Amino acid sequence: MINPLNKLSKSLGYQFNNEELLEQALTHRSAKSVHNERLEFLGDSILSFVIAERLYKQFPKCKEGDLSRMRSTLVRGETLVELAQSFAISEYLTLGPGELKSGGHRRTSILEDAVEAIIGAIYLDSDMPTIKGIILAWYDERLKNLKPGQQQKDAKTQLQEWLQGRKQELPLYQVTSITGKDHKQTFSVSCCIEHLDKTTHGKGSSRRKAEQSAARAMLNQLTSS
């Protein structure tokens, strides 16, 4: 019988010694007691380090601010979702009945977490040089095309500069709710521009990520209207 995960392993560029780690990385907390949250925590840190080190070496004359913005571009949710889609990760996810019914296999937060969890799983199954090589292979084209500058600014910075350029008041961010256990919280944040009577909302695994999501939604509203 053909193992369906073999195709995914080939896409990832890594064959697991302990395939249970890959299965765990693809398992959402809604499905089983053994799920991918701890692996995601590990993978998030590894990804940030590997990308930061590569940028430090690739751009020796760049200041910290530009390096931070470039790293943010590469590790942000949208980029992780693009990676997940390129590997067709949604086809291999294990979800609980509720998430299945609500289309959880397409939910961006679940796809982002799965990519980070897979990174953590590969690291545990191998070593740092191996996962470093794999991450850099995944990001090869993005790194080649990366340039310091305006396009790397995060959504909050872009929104602030958009408003300042029009001499308008800056947005107010407010945490509207925090759900989940201490080690795995989901933050909900509102972004309000009172004089324009506009409010958007964002969610993320940290306040910073939620604020970026809300700012991105506000930018989309302002620039498309």
Side-chain angles (χ1 to χ4, degrees):
M1 184 176 178
I2 298 175
N3 186 342
L5 291 181
N6 285 343
K7 185 177 179 181
L8 176 58
S9 294
K10 187 175 181 180
S11 297
L12 296 172
Y14 180 78
Q15 186 64 50
F16 277 80
N17 298 299
N18 178 6
E19 201 166 80
E20 289 182 0
L21 282 169
L22 177 57
E23 292 173 358
Q24 182 180 346
L26 295 166
T27 301
H28 188 255
R29 67 172 182 251
S30 63
K32 295 180 181 179
S33 58
V34 179
H35 48 71
N36 65 7
E37 286 183 351
R38 284 170 53 84
L39 289 174
E40 180 227 332
F41 164 78
L42 182 62
D44 176 58
S45 299
I46 293 169
L47 175 62
S48 183
F49 167 74
V50 170
I51 294 299
E53 182 189 48
R54 174 57 183 266
L55 293 175
Y56 182 85
K57 293 178 178 178
Q58 185 171 331
F59 300 100
K61 296 182 179 180
C62 270
K63 295 181 179 180
E64 182 272 339
D66 278 332
L67 293 173
S68 293
R69 284 188 285 271
M70 287 189 287
R71 180 182 60 184
S72 177
T73 297
L74 292 172
V75 305
R76 67 188 179 188
E78 293 96 324
T79 306
L80 295 178
V81 170
E82 289 173 3
L83 286 172
Q85 291 170 340
S86 71
F87 300 137
I89 283 175
S90 61
E91 298 178 13
Y92 304 94
L93 293 171
T94 300
L95 306 172
E99 287 293 347
L100 279 172
K101 189 177 293 186
S102 63
H105 61 286
R106 295 188 300 271
R107 199 183 311 282
T108 56
S109 60
I110 290 178
L111 293 174
E112 294 167 25
D113 291 350
V115 172
E116 291 175 338
I118 288 171
I119 290 171
I122 294 174
Y123 167 73
L124 292 178
D125 196 62
S126 58
D127 51 33
M128 182 56 79
T130 299
I131 187 56
K132 179 179 175 181
I134 287 168
I135 290 172
L136 293 179
W138 292 355
Y139 278 88
D140 183 57
E141 284 300 316
R142 289 177 174 85
L143 287 164
K144 285 179 180 176
N145 297 325
L146 196 61
K147 295 179 181 179
Q150 169 68 29
Q151 70 273 22
Q152 307 306 331
K153 293 183 180 179
D154 61 38
K156 284 185 68 176
T157 302
Q158 290 182 50
L159 176 59
Q160 178 176 317
E161 292 183 353
W162 192 93
L163 292 167
Q164 287 176 331
R166 290 160 178 78
K167 297 183 179 180
Q168 297 182 7
E169 295 177 18
L170 297 182
L172 298 174
Y173 297 93
Q174 183 174 359
V175 176
T176 56
S177 70
I178 303 174
T179 58
K181 298 179 181 179
D182 289 345
H183 70 284
K184 183 62 178 180
Q185 294 181 324
T186 297
F187 290 76
S188 296
V189 168
S190 65
C191 173
C192 175
I193 303 178
E194 292 183 344
H195 69 285
L196 295 179
D197 194 25
K198 289 184 180 291
T199 301
T200 55
H201 302 273
K203 290 185 177 183
S205 56
S206 67
R207 177 172 180 164
R208 179 182 61 81
K209 289 183 179 179
E211 288 179 348
Q212 292 291 351
S213 176
R216 197 171 300 114
M218 182 63 75
L219 261 176
N220 290 339
Q221 261 198 39
L222 294 173
T223 56
S224 62
S225 59

